[in-house]
Amino acid sequence: MLKAVILIGGPQKGTRFRPLSLQVPKPLFPVAGRPVIQHHIEACAAVAGLREVLILGAYPAQELQQFAAEMAARYGVAVRYLQEYAALGTAGGLYQFRDQIRAGGPDAFFVLNGDVCGDFRLDRLLAFHRERPADALLTVMATEATRQQSVNFGCIAEDRATHAVLHYAEKPETFVSTLINTGIYICSSDIFQQIGTVFKRKQEEIYSADFEEGPPSETISLEVDILAPLAGSGRVFVYQTSRWWSQIKTASAALYSNRHYLKLYRENGAPLAEDGKPCTIIGDVWIHPTATIHPTAVLGPNVSVGRNAEVGEGVRVRESIVLGGARIREHSLVLHSILGWDSVVGAWSRIEGTPCDPDPNKPFAKMDNVPLFNGDGKLNPSITILGCNVNVASEKIVLNCIILPHKDLVRSYKNEILL
Amino acid sequence: MNMKALILVGGFGTRLRPLTLSRPKPLVEFANKPLVLHMIEALVDAGVSHVVLAVSYRAEQMEQELRQEAEKLGVQITFSLETEPLGTAGPLALARDILASNDEPFFVLNSDIICNFPFRDMVSFHRNHGKEGTIVVTKVEEPSKYGVVCYDERGRIERFVEKPQEFVSNKINAGLYIFNTSILDRIQLRPTSIEKEIFPVMAEDGNLFSFELQGFWMDVGQPKDFLTGMCMYLTSLKTKDPSLLYKGDGVASGVMVDPTARIGKNCKIGPNVTIGPDVIIEDGVRIKRATVMRGAHIKSHSWIENSIVGWRCVVGRWVRMENVTVLGEDVIVQDEIYVNGGIVLPHKSIAASVSEPRIIM
């Protein structure tokens, strides 16, 4: 029997996803029509013998519990949300809920980071892990990055023959390896012994520490406190995947992931919009069945349109996410943008952002997490986000802007954040 | 009446580029009619039988086209070509033979001016005061940007003040004059500025009078002012000659549309728009405060404000153009492009958005 644990952090995390994460916890933000972690749950449910998915996070319970119930009904596996009392780190949460994870005696359990996206082949990871020696504690799924970008991730040095992890360094200052941690693992139940040892050590440090300096961190990091020390012990392994993978830390990443998930849908035969129904469709486009689309609109490529959205006459939408209830009035153009829930774009308006996609000419290039402002204090061009309930008057242009919820825009804006 | 007029056309019209890269400035269509024809028609109406165009470069095209117009209007048009720069007064000396061929006073006009030309009233005013010269003046909001004219209750000009620091007058020289032939004795065939060298002397001996222009006035020699002048002109037509303005579905007031142009469904055109001959505007297009020249094609769902679309341009679908964008002749703008203040030279194809004003060669 197998289980899966999805680590989603809390509202303190994911702030780069604002203003979208002001409305909805980042893990529930819809990409290609489905909440980010629904893609994770779907991948888990596809593994034969997987019985339960546990979502660990520090978000208030209500919304996540409701989501968990919906997922359980849809995928036929048990799904539960377990709320951490404080941010405990990627391994701290696992330790706190070790009893729930070990309940039923699973042979192994997956651990998935909530802020990554990809074509997770968990069955292959599982098969690979099963072929390792019996005392294997953990297999981490890794992918290739460019030499320059690798230092922004967890770097893994691999023994080519045995696939054991020889060395692990989290965001090193100097180059270690182009093989990086995807944030997806499979663990044996014995891992809790390791985590327990680290936990006890940290607790001793807390109680013998000098309190005037402030209490030390209670968090236990799976990468730094568990994986890194075990590197070279022969009990930790790495499985390399070449399927698409990306972090989803910023709103730009949401659009990038939207595009890739739509492509995956197409490869897996999931229903995407067909040309002519209900309007001209170019490339991969997903439209919620309750959305109203005028037949003269032109959508795509890489567009998701949410529940009850309205797309008016002669509207053009490309490379964008249109969230539920949004209304785009006639003849407007939406490009590289995310339109928040219930937002309105007036007639003949232009909503445009600048994509920050990885260089398509560089193999293995990953998204750069570009900071909001550049060295001169100017806003770096990025995708345009309209927060929920934002109203854009007709005939205006909104270019490279981030608009917080409930704003009324009566003139054009460029390269601004509107609070 | 046999009067004559000298229109100072000047050189290459560089301030109105890129339009003047394809056509000489006097022939650039303002409200669907070559700019200089607005002036020439009003002159013919006031009794002028001979118009001299003072140019500093030969433009065969201009000569040919104007020859045809001249025949239609029954007026004689000749060209006076200066081979070296003569300033604003020198051209009068160059055209002396024609201007002094009879004793009637003659007009001297700056070719970039658009207004309700008061040529007949100028003649009566001029004959009435009996002195050597009359300058038309017009009221402006910001006189310190220009040189102002100070005159008494009869209109006798006392002095000119360049860019005054304090308020002295809100009237400026409107670039339209009428002179007796005796003025030619003051001007030699060399580079001379009429404003700096001739007028002050004439004002001193009480020989220069000012005629106050009523109504709108604009020097349309650059795109921003060309568009402003177009708005003023179209507004004046609403009272002066509303039959020239278009009435139809999806078109606001103050819009001129050539009969050969075609406008699609669900458009919103105007106010303050001129649409030239053979223009095609597809469905769902919004145009405001703009000039669309002959043969241009605007595709569906586009939005154009405060811009000039040159002859035979093709503007794609879902394009947004604003902020004094000027497309030269035969420019192609691809679908979904944004052009903000772009000055685009002829025959260019725009495939990437221009989000800040610049020149595209």
Side-chain angles (χ1 to χ4, degrees), chain B residues 133-299:
Chain B
T134 300
I135 304 181
V136 175
V137 297
T138 181
K139 184 158 104 164
V140 289
E141 252 188 69
E142 296 188 55
S144 351
K145 289 196 334 203
Y146 311 85
V148 302
V149 185
C150 301
Y151 52 92
D152 67 18
E153 340 62 71
R154 288 180 300 139
R156 196 173 67 100
I157 293 180
E158 292 155 347
R159 62 198 171 110
F160 296 88
V161 185
E162 263 315 291
K163 297 190 177 32
Q165 300 288 335
E166 290 177 345
F167 182 86
V168 290
S169 161
N170 58 10
K171 305 291 191 302
I172 61 162
N173 179 345
L176 310 169
Y177 319 126
I178 185 169
F179 300 125
N180 293 344
T181 51
S182 55
I183 197 179
L184 295 166
D185 299 329
R186 300 180 186 263
I187 305 173
Q188 292 168 15
L189 187 57
R190 61 175 177 80
T192 316
S193 160
I194 206 171
E195 297 87 7
K196 294 198 172 74
E197 297 175 58
I198 311 298
F199 286 169
V201 178
M202 287 171 72
E204 227 160 283
D205 30 300
N207 255 311
L208 209 48
F209 274 68
S210 51
F211 173 91
E212 284 184 14
L213 176 69
Q214 302 303 317
F216 71 97
W217 176 91
M218 200 73 214
D219 175 331
V220 299
Q222 50 187 3
K224 177 155 114 54
D225 298 335
F226 186 97
L227 287 169
T228 304
M230 175 197 67
C231 292
M232 291 175 168
Y233 178 80
L234 289 171
T235 302
S236 80
L237 281 187
K238 287 188 203 174
T239 36
K240 195 167 105 159
D241 196 352
S243 69
L244 290 179
L245 296 174
Y246 184 88
K247 278 185 206 6
D249 271 341
V251 178
S253 63
V255 173
M256 190 182 272
V257 180
D258 186 277
T260 58
R262 291 193 329 261
I263 301 180
K265 302 193 308 277
N266 297 327
C267 291
K268 257 199 205 166
I269 311 291
N272 294 322
V273 175
T274 62
I275 309 282
D278 301 326
V279 165
I280 298 174
I281 299 182
E282 291 187 6
D283 300 339
V285 171
R286 176 94 181 89
I287 308 183
K288 293 195 276 197
R289 205 176 195 276
T291 291
V292 182
M293 300 287 196
R294 170 195 291 272
H297 184 160
I298 317 283
K299 296 197 178 170

Side-chain angles (χ1 to χ4, degrees), chain A residues 314 316 318 331 348 350 414, chain B residues 284 301 303 318 336 338 340:
Chain A
R316 177 89 183 87
R318 184 154 68 87
H331 314 299
W348 278 294
R350 183 181 179 104
K414 294 183 198 165
Chain B
H301 317 299
W303 185 90
W318 292 290
E336 305 171 27
Y338 171 50
N340 174 26

